[in-house]
Amino acid sequence: MERGPNYEAIRESLTKSNRRRSLRTLFQLPLSTRTSTYGSISTTAPVGSIPADIVREIVDFLSPSDILNFSLTSTHLRALLMPALYETVTLKSSKNCRVTLTMLLQRRDICGYIRKLAVRPNYYLAWPRPDEHLSEAWVVEMIEKISKDLTVMHTFDWDGLELPKDSLWETLRSNCPDLKSVFSNVGTRPLDPESTLFNFSNLTSFSLIVRHGLGGSELFPSLEHIPLRFWDMLINRCPDLQELAICSFSSSARVFDFERITEGYWPRLHTLTLGSFGYQADFSLGPPSLSTDYSLGRFLDKHTELKYVRFLWNFKRWMSPDAIPMRLSPSALPVLDTFIGVYQQLAELPHPEAVETLDLTCEPVYESRLGTVCPILRSLTNLTSLDIWTHVFYPSRDHSHFFYSILVACPKLTDFHFMCTTSFTVKPLKQLITQLKLLPDLKHFSLTKGHNYIDENMISTALRILKYNPGLKQINIRWARERCPNHLKQEGTYDVLTDPDGRPEALMVVERGIPLIGVPFLRRYRYKIDKGGGGPKVAKTLRVGL
């Protein structure tokens, strides 16, 4: 589930802040509907009174759904925006794969616009409804049929239950000369040492990921060796690699031995994901390069262009050790702005002031470790985005000092995700949200909490949060439950709409989940807020979409 961290976050904020103003302005302008056919539109011809190049600049700040709506206003715009509409095609379900691949086979001209193609047949993370079954061999066959028309595709992402049929890789390598980024997950099948997946050269991005949902109960699974041809491809034939991921999201079932990565050197590498790290059978930390010869530290020393580092950890039923030395040099990781891992490694970074985005959700931060964690957070003087997982035991107690200590250590946050998968009742929630005022620049707040059937509904929680923090632009709420698919019971997104004076007047709501009784639901509606005495209150539901 990663994007390029900082650039995408900035791009997303620009999109959200400019989207409505741009569309409202554009729809008020005269747009010509007297158009020519596809392919004959001049690249500089004006659209009504707007030059085409200005339209393209505006479209850069729009979401895919807004681009689609914009393109429907005239056939001239439709033709002009076709490259933007189909630049990235992500098929998020079996139905999407079946319908879209069939359409592309019939409309080969559209294939020529696709630069990034991601397919997710039998999507194992589909929620709240499970995905329908689709033959992955059929998906491969359809992609192979349109491959010669994917003339500008540079990125392909396979996210099925298992690695695709091996012929797909050779077909794409032969028919798509611009293909430089290849991403694939694996399931339970062993890697074929002779796979054509390892025939690529000069890639700029590559990932091999053990997918979620494989189960497993091994506390110390044996590390699986990756074929030699895999390493030969990366180390010897991909000198310009910029993004690399080798990791497992099912670390109780299957974990790769990725130690040989330390033999590589890629001067332009800026994004790295590795894992899973954790305890070995003798309770040393693995892989051994981490705890014995510190080759991982030397590898990081050499890669000075790294901006995004994600280390997946799984300590199973035990707590992590107090220290995890990496032996980094004082000049290591000078431009690292995003770090995902554990606080012990964070403490080793020689340039903490460069970090802007931090994710500490590999394991819970316990109250007993506040004395160590908070000074590390305070050293991140430019931190603006934080995801943190905590355990709050005994919710009837006062945890105000715990929350205060974390918040006061990160005063510049604009995005804050607080996760507590133990019971998190109204009392600790109020203790937390009343102290969010310590974050004067906070615009996006997300709460993931352990679900209890006596909890208030999500919209009530969102309004409670907004009552004490009216400056928020978006609130996200997730109810976590161990036995539910993806460990999620329900989730909601609440975009705050304000009046001309900047006061919250409504919430644009999207909620989905699994009810106590009945079928999974998806709701989209607008909630009007009563701005009378006592803070925001729900006045009425203006529109509901199921």
Side-chain angles (χ1 to χ4, degrees), residues 147-163:
S147 62
K148 289 185 178 181
D149 299 292
L150 298 170
T151 54
V152 297
M153 186 176 74
H154 59 68
T155 299
F156 178 74
D157 185 350
W158 175 269
D159 202 1
L161 295 178
E162 297 286 352
L163 273 170

Side-chain angles (χ1 to χ4, degrees), residues 7 20 37 39 55-56 103 111-112 140 164 215 231 248 288 299 321 362 391 466 470 482 496-497 507 532:
Y7 173 80
R20 291 187 179 89
T37 58
V55 173
R56 293 192 187 90
M103 180 273 291
C111 296
V140 168
W231 295 113
S248 172
F299 174 84
C362 284
H391 273 180
L466 187 62
E482 182 69 26
V496 182
L497 305 183
L507 294 175

